[in-house]
Amino acid sequence: MLGQTCRKITGSLNVSPRIEFKRYLWRNSICQQKIDITLKYTDEASGSKANKEPTLYEKFLKNPKSVPLITSRKLENCNKYRQPRQAWLETLSTVEDHKLGMLDLHPDIFAVHPRLDILYHNLRWQEFYKKIDYNWTPSRGDLDVSGGKQMPQKGTGRARNRNRSSIMFRTGAKPLGPKGPRALFYMLPKQYRVQGLCTALSFKYAQNNLHIVDSLEIPTDDPEYIQDLIDTRFWGFSALFVDDTDYMPENITYALAEFPSYNILPVYGLNVRDMLKHETLILTLAAVEKIEQKLLFHSSRNKRSSKFSMDTRYDQY
Amino acid sequence: MFIVRKFCSIATLCKTIKPTNFTEKLFKQQDHPTLCLTAAKQFHGSAVHLREPKQDAIVIGDGDRKYEPQSPYRRHWPKRFQFVTSTRFGPTLPRVNKELKHQLPFNYKDKWSDKSALQGANDYIDILGDGTIHPVDLIKGPAFLIGYNANELGRLNRRLRFEGRYLADNFPSELEKILKRIKFLRKKYNYKRGKRVRKRFKYR
């Protein structure tokens, strides 16, 4: 009922003389005149063929590689209230910087809130969970020493003592020193590690240090090619190339072998510490898709991760 | 009002003052016969130094009519030249002319070596890989410590479970030390701990 009444009112309003008078005023106003002028000039410009620029479509018909295309990537489980971030698709096949297209990146991975505490926890975990401390100091029972008295109780001017293993002696025991090989092992919860990767990637994207490339194939074997490429694009003093699988193209492996600060990794080797150590991150398209798939799968997974315990690793007990 | 006047007067007088050049001072001391004996005098300071008049004073007139106008920056010299003694010295002298013996070589850490450039590789392999490999498999060390973090009692008991037979056959003295230590720690952890734990009785 309400909708019908509204429609009647709006129908009557458009026909009323008051609104028609307003439209008449608007058309004769200066704003509308300016708009009319611009449209007239644009029509004239498009009409004349002398200074006409070829349109994108005409350029594409001649040479499809000369025009940047907007490729729409399918993002899975994208939040409708969050817009996807965009990045250029570049190449390594030329020293100059040519863009092949534009990609959509998932906001839950490349636009995460910058949480420094998660990054700190990840870095600390990476440093300490592999450490084994081999320091050992002997206690009184560990020293191979006879139990007899060193000197008579009285008579000598020295302090009284029993064993050579006592703490007062220079060659004696250390009472509360480090004892035995000790492991500093602990595991972070899986969500902390997943979010650590997401924050590192979002930091790299936000600071313009992330570049996406179609593939890591290079025309030559020369290391100077890579150096020129990185210098012209201002990618910095250190770069990390990430590919989909273990098998890398031949030329890039020979070229990057001479540079200690330019490194290659597969996707499963990616980690927070190496991402922050190298200035720029260069991902291939296939690597981006793999990373997104894995991180989204694990971020929404509530199953408790299998602990390193007797249930899962019985053969080692 | 008084404060404003003072500032104005100071500002006008500042133009007439010529600051002394630091280099002029140094050259003077070097030329002086008695003072140039000490090598790094400017840095170190000496017990004995001369007081010399400042050359920046305002002097008007020549000869008999020479006089100095009264100003807040007038010099108090010429006075009787005197030797000044002080027991305060500056910091220690640099060992410039001495030969350094037993000089340890300073080794810079190579932060981009093969080991340190990709140190954290494969730490997230259970997330970004198949899921069959766990980062615990990357740890290198004794078998009884991989994936295990506990206090000393637990570590020793676990070591016996893994390496007890091997130690009994080949290193009986070491086994005896382990057993002694276990006996001691059992009593320490179970009988000698109260509400407030002292350093001696902590779980290490």
Side-chain angles (χ1 to χ4, degrees), chain A residues 186-203:
Chain A
Y186 70 104
M187 284 302 292
L188 274 184
K190 200 180 243 184
Q191 292 298 325
Y192 262 87
R193 290 191 286 143
V194 167
Q195 286 299 309
L197 285 169
C198 294
T199 47
L201 287 166
S202 55
F203 265 109

Side-chain angles (χ1 to χ4, degrees), chain A residues 241-253:
Chain A
F241 295 85
V242 179
D243 202 1
D244 193 17
T245 56
D246 296 1
Y247 297 100
M248 305 291 174
E250 196 182 320
N251 286 331
I252 200 162
T253 52

